Amino acid sequence: MGLTITEKILAAHAGVPSVRPGEIIDCRVDFVFANDITAPLAIQEFEKMGVARVFDPDRVAFVLDHYVPNKDIASANQCKITREFVRRHALPHFYDIGRAGIAHVLLAEEGFVGPGDVFIGADSHTCNHGALGAFATGVGSSDLAAAMALGRLWLRVPETVRYEFRGRLRPWVTGKDLILAVIGRIGVDGARYGAMEFAGETLRDLTMDERFSITNMAIEAGAKNGIMEPDERTLEWITPRARRPFTVVRSDPDAAYADVRTIDAGALEPVVAAPASPGNVVPVREAAGVRVDQCFIGTCTNGRIEDLRTAARILAGRTVHRDTRLLVIPATPAIYRQAMAEGLIQIFLEAGAAVSTSTCGPCIGGHMGVLAEGEVCVSTSSRNFVGRMGHKTAQVYLANAAVAAATAVTGHLTHPADVMGALVGA
Amino acid sequence: MVVRGAAHVVGHHIDTDVIIPARYLVTAEPAALAAHVFEDLDPSLRARLAPGDVLVAGENFGQGSSREHAPIAIKAAGIAAVVAISFARIFYRNAFNVGLPLLECREAHAGVREGDVLEVDFAAGTIRNITRGGALYQGQPIPAFMQRLVDAGGIVPYVRAQLGSR
Ligand code: SF4
């Protein structure tokens, strides 16, 4: 019996010829990182472990992306712990405000993760990197500390379910809609403990930006990792960026899957996840008309250049509705610069949007756009739990960037075609 | 290990955002986190928690973010064990790492009412409901590997031992 891409990568890193779902393995890790919220705890635990150095300074990164520029004294003190640790250990891969972006987008862009890697982050959306054909998963701070100390981590081998997307996407349907549609079908624990392997002809036409937004949200179905087999487009994207040699791994034709599910992607319409669960997925048209106080385009799910281009196409020559606020946050400085070079930032500013420096922004409701009691937000992020973006009665609809931009123009939840005309394709 | 305490029952898919909202993640101080535990789920819950109490939850407890602050907050609020139909995977690891023991059990959630006195036996994987005539709910004993981590005293001693054996 053959192995899935996830099993092959894990076997190679555990130094064994084969692994089986359910098995506990001790696994070599290629790269680890923590952010400004998870790093202080990881550092505290690391220091208790009585180890003088991290396993390999070249394979550790710290990215300050959540509460920077520091929003208050407490968050400044937290960041100071990380800043001092990095200096004390002379760690080369440290990203502070100005050079930092959202870790998941930044670390991929900077080439720290490649096909075939085992990539561990103290942040649940680390599964993002599976779009590159890597095994990537999120852990808590103590596990990250263990990986920082040992260069290894214990893992339970997940069983894999393969999701095959068929058909060509309709206008305004994106990778975000594909993953939301899957989560809507299987539920927020539909892939709990498992690996989600995404495949099928639909993916071939998707840019890497859209592919990342799919693997990014595997955690919203409870998965350990989301993964795609690398193709030419993957290699085109990673080759000029990769900092280390990488290995292209593919699933065996006779790999054992827990299940194979086919999704008719060509039949999908743009969707939203309505409050207050990423699994509460309905077509945009069914939720259309809801009055919206704030739209947010950004995050590790949809703050990439493709998302900004799509939003700009809708916002060009239009303005944000007077009763709605639009926040745009490019995920990394490189994306910000690219958006400037392409004139997208100009379009956003002329439309009346607020454009902020590259951070997580209001995604976790800490600063930069926190919602008031009862407010409604359409967000390109990945989570809409109670209290996630502000007051516990605030309501968050998760959507793609086109829906968020169209909604910002009309002030109520809107299908992009209703702003752009039905015949203008995405 | 056996834990005996009063039950507090919560629902399905309780996420880490309602366990401890991110707006409070500007500290890793257990007591400061415990002050806000479950605030957005039920503002009165925190005040009802007493040391040694048992939390009983439905499916997929702890879904969402990787914040280890979530099990830290629960533990610092006095909860001695969490029993759930199932746990989200990152929360599962984090809870054991911070010394908050978890038990998976299909039956307890439907049978237990707020305030019932429970006896949770981790080795046997059972929960006895003292209040309801000693009703017994069979759960999953802690997997052997997790038990070794617990026996080692958590992830820190586990790593120390690994480093020592090199
Ligand atoms: S953008 Fe949101 S989901 Fe992504 S890492 Fe930041 S807080 Fe987490």
Side-chain angles (χ1 to χ4, degrees):
Chain A
M1 193 52 100
L3 301 181
T4 68
I5 174 173
T6 295
E7 291 158 1
K8 280 188 181 175
I9 295 172
L10 291 180
H13 286 74
V16 295
S18 179
V19 294
R20 281 288 165 248
E23 205 178 306
I24 305 262
I25 55 168
D26 180 35
C27 197
R28 187 170 58 73
V29 301
D30 292 299
F31 201 87
V32 304
F33 90 93
N35 63 43
D36 53 318
I37 289 180
T38 57
L41 257 176
I43 290 166
Q44 177 190 305
E45 295 308 293
F46 177 83
E47 287 178 342
K48 284 188 206 158
M49 287 167 183
V51 34
R53 269 180 290 278
V54 301
F55 78 105
D56 181 350
D58 203 33
R59 290 170 184 265
V60 177
F62 289 96
V63 184
L64 309 186
D65 55 1
H66 283 64
Y67 285 159
V68 287
N70 294 138
K71 76 186 184 91
D72 51 22
I73 293 167
S75 68
N77 282 338
Q78 289 284 290
C79 285
K80 193 171 169 213
I81 294 172
T82 308
R83 289 173 179 136
E84 287 177 352
F85 181 83
V86 163
R87 249 174 251 137
R88 210 158 54 240
H89 288 260
L91 298 179
H93 307 307
F94 175 55
Y95 294 88
D96 205 337
I97 190 71
R99 295 194 176 84
I102 305 171
H104 309 300
V105 186
L106 182 87
L107 296 173
E109 199 177 69
E110 290 283 321
F112 287 114
V113 50
D117 279 358
V118 168
F119 187 95
I120 303 295
D123 190 304
S124 61
H125 286 100
T126 305
C127 54
N128 176 75
H129 304 293
L132 291 169
F135 174 88
T137 194
V139 296
S141 296
S142 293
D143 277 328
L144 201 275
M148 264 164 59
L150 299 169
R152 309 187 73 86
L153 187 72
W154 72 265
L155 290 169
R156 180 188 161 279
V157 178
E159 57 290 335
T160 300
V161 173
R162 189 171 159 103
Y163 297 85
E164 297 201 351
F165 296 106
R166 299 270 166 252
R168 279 193 63 134
L169 297 183
R170 289 185 184 164
W172 307 114
V173 178
T174 67
K176 176 68 164 287
D177 302 283
L178 294 186
I179 187 64
L180 283 177
V182 169
I183 299 165
R185 249 169 248 190
I186 68 173
V188 289
D189 61 350
R192 205 168 45 88
Y193 289 112
M196 300 175 88
E197 183 174 317
F198 301 104
E201 63 194 19
T202 314
L203 294 187
R204 266 206 310 271
D205 296 336
L206 297 190
T207 59
M208 284 310 297
D209 283 8
E210 288 197 60
R211 295 180 189 185
F212 279 120
S213 73
I214 295 175
T215 46
N216 177 277
M217 285 191 73
I219 180 71
E220 267 63 61
K224 171 171 275 180
N225 69 312
I227 199 161
M228 295 175 187
E229 294 166 291
D231 64 6
E232 272 173 25
R233 192 166 275 189
T234 320
L235 299 180
E236 228 169 75
W237 194 91
I238 192 63
T239 305
R241 293 178 164 89
R243 295 190 184 219
R244 283 174 278 113
F246 55 80
T247 318
V248 172
V249 181
R250 294 198 174 83
S251 294
D252 290 326
D254 62 343
Y257 293 100
D259 197 8
V260 178
R261 296 178 192 160
T262 308
I263 293 102
D264 183 3
L268 291 178
E269 278 287 306
V271 293
V272 292
S277 166
N280 200 7
V281 176
V282 292
V284 171
R285 292 226 186 269
E286 271 177 37
V290 173
R291 224 195 62 68
V292 173
D293 300 289
Q294 177 169 299
C295 294
F296 170 39
I297 298 171
T299 79
C300 60
T301 317
N302 286 112
R304 297 185 177 81
I305 193 69
E306 278 295 318
D307 302 304
L308 302 186
R309 285 178 187 143
T310 302
R313 205 153 70 237
I314 291 169
L315 289 162
R318 297 186 174 83
T319 50
V320 173
H321 191 273
R322 49 175 297 196
D323 295 326
T324 302
R325 320 178 284 270
L326 173 60
L327 312 178
V328 181
I329 307 190
T332 67
I335 294 169
Y336 203 137
R337 284 193 298 270
Q338 178 76 22
M340 292 232 300
E342 293 181 18
L344 312 181
I345 302 293
Q346 184 78 21
I347 291 171
F348 297 143
L349 293 176
E350 279 170 8
V355 183
S356 295
T357 195
S358 299
T359 69
C360 297
C363 179
I364 53 165
H367 72 158
M368 312 272 285
V370 178
L371 300 172
E373 205 171 336
E375 281 194 326
V376 177
C377 179
V378 170
S379 171
T380 64
S381 56
S382 55
R383 289 187 180 136
N384 56 352
F385 299 134
V386 168
R388 170 75 181 186
M389 291 183 72
H391 194 271
K392 65 181 175 185
T393 60
Q395 308 234 303
V396 177
Y397 290 81
L398 306 176
N400 72 32
V403 172
T407 299
V409 170
T410 64
H412 52 83
L413 195 51
T414 299
H415 191 300
D418 294 348
V419 169
M420 299 293 281
L423 295 177
V424 186
Chain B
M1 185 180 58
V2 177
V3 166
R4 190 185 164 117
H8 300 279
V9 184
V10 296
H12 298 294
H13 305 297
I14 299 297
D15 60 82
T16 54
D17 279 292
V18 295
I19 295 174
I20 179 73
R23 56 185 178 273
Y24 301 119
L25 302 185
V26 291
T27 173
E29 192 48 54
L33 295 168
H36 301 287
V37 72
F38 296 121
E39 184 175 285
D40 284 351
L41 180 70
D42 173 357
S44 70
L45 181 53
R46 168 74 189 92
R48 298 200 307 272
L49 302 178
D53 283 358
V54 176
L55 196 67
V56 179
E59 307 260 12
N60 200 27
F61 184 80
Q63 71 162 331
S65 114
S66 70
R67 64 191 71 162
E68 204 159 296
H69 311 67
I72 290 174
I74 293 172
K75 188 183 173 199
I79 295 290
V82 185
V83 174
I85 297 175
S86 60
F87 293 94
R89 62 161 287 275
I90 305 179
F91 182 88
Y92 186 84
R93 294 181 71 121
N94 287 349
F96 281 100
N97 284 344
V98 305
L100 175 69
L102 310 181
L103 193 73
E104 282 190 332
C105 175
R106 286 233 132 253
E107 303 162 359
H109 190 245
V112 175
R113 294 287 166 270
E114 186 75 19
D116 286 1
V117 175
L118 305 181
E119 212 171 76
V120 185
D121 183 333
F122 284 90
T126 55
I127 298 117
R128 190 174 291 282
N129 193 334
I130 308 297
T131 307
R132 297 188 191 270
L136 193 72
Y137 315 112
Q138 183 64 52
Q140 302 286 328
I142 301 178
F145 179 80
M146 300 310 291
Q147 188 60 54
R148 281 204 293 282
L149 260 185
V150 173
D151 293 344
I155 188 83
V156 171
Y158 171 85
V159 170
R160 278 174 171 271
Q162 297 256 313
L163 288 165
S165 67
R166 275 190 181 171

